[in-house]
Amino acid sequence: MGIMAMEADAVHEVAPLDVCLNIWARWNALGDYQITSGEGNQQDTKEFMQAGEAIEVMINSLSRIQWWAIRKSKGICTVWMFQNVHFNDALAEAEAVLEPKLRKHVATRRHFN
């Protein structure tokens, strides 16, 4: 196998912040996947739900622009409505505020070890 093929097969490590935001995005979408017979999504575990709920609280504590930037980055909000603020700047600020909180919280800190 050539070097290029090995590089293509290499597993890319996902940053802990992205892991947490991906958990939150899946948690946020759970309502869309609920089965009407009362059975929940298979991802509906206690640990998953605790992390999703904790991240939601942290995101809700952000400024409105940062709150919107996180949601837009995960496809939950599709329109960037703040013409005076660049999306990437707002997202970077939001991530800088969130990461220390996620590192400390009991439901999410394991992703940072």
Side-chain angles (χ1 to χ4, degrees):
M1 180 180 292
I3 293 174
M4 295 298 280
M6 286 190 295
E7 288 177 3
D9 290 340
V11 176
H12 298 286
E13 190 170 323
V14 178
L17 176 64
D18 291 331
V19 169
C20 290
L21 291 177
N22 290 339
I23 289 169
W24 169 77
R26 288 193 332 258
W27 174 86
N28 204 22
L30 275 179
D32 296 339
Y33 298 112
Q34 294 298 314
I35 301 169
T36 57
S37 67
E39 297 176 32
N41 189 301
Q42 292 180 352
Q43 295 176 348
D44 193 9
T45 64
K46 183 178 179 179
E47 186 176 288
F48 174 78
M49 292 301 292
Q50 288 173 339
E53 290 170 1
I55 297 165
E56 175 76 1
V57 169
M58 290 178 223
I59 290 172
N60 285 338
S61 73
L62 296 172
S63 71
R64 187 55 51 193
I65 292 172
Q66 294 168 349
W67 178 92
W68 203 279
I70 292 292
R71 281 172 164 68
K72 178 166 174 38
S73 75
K74 294 299 173 186
I76 296 168
C77 295
T78 57
V79 175
W80 184 247
M81 55 188 262
F82 303 96
Q83 296 176 358
N84 296 331
V85 179
H86 193 271
F87 166 70
N88 290 332
D89 294 340
L91 180 59
E93 290 174 9
E95 291 174 344
V97 171
L98 274 178
E99 188 167 346
K101 293 179 180 185
L102 293 168
R103 284 181 180 276
K104 292 178 186 176
H105 197 281
V106 68
T108 55
R109 67 180 172 213
R110 69 183 181 90
H111 298 292
F112 291 88
N113 293 331

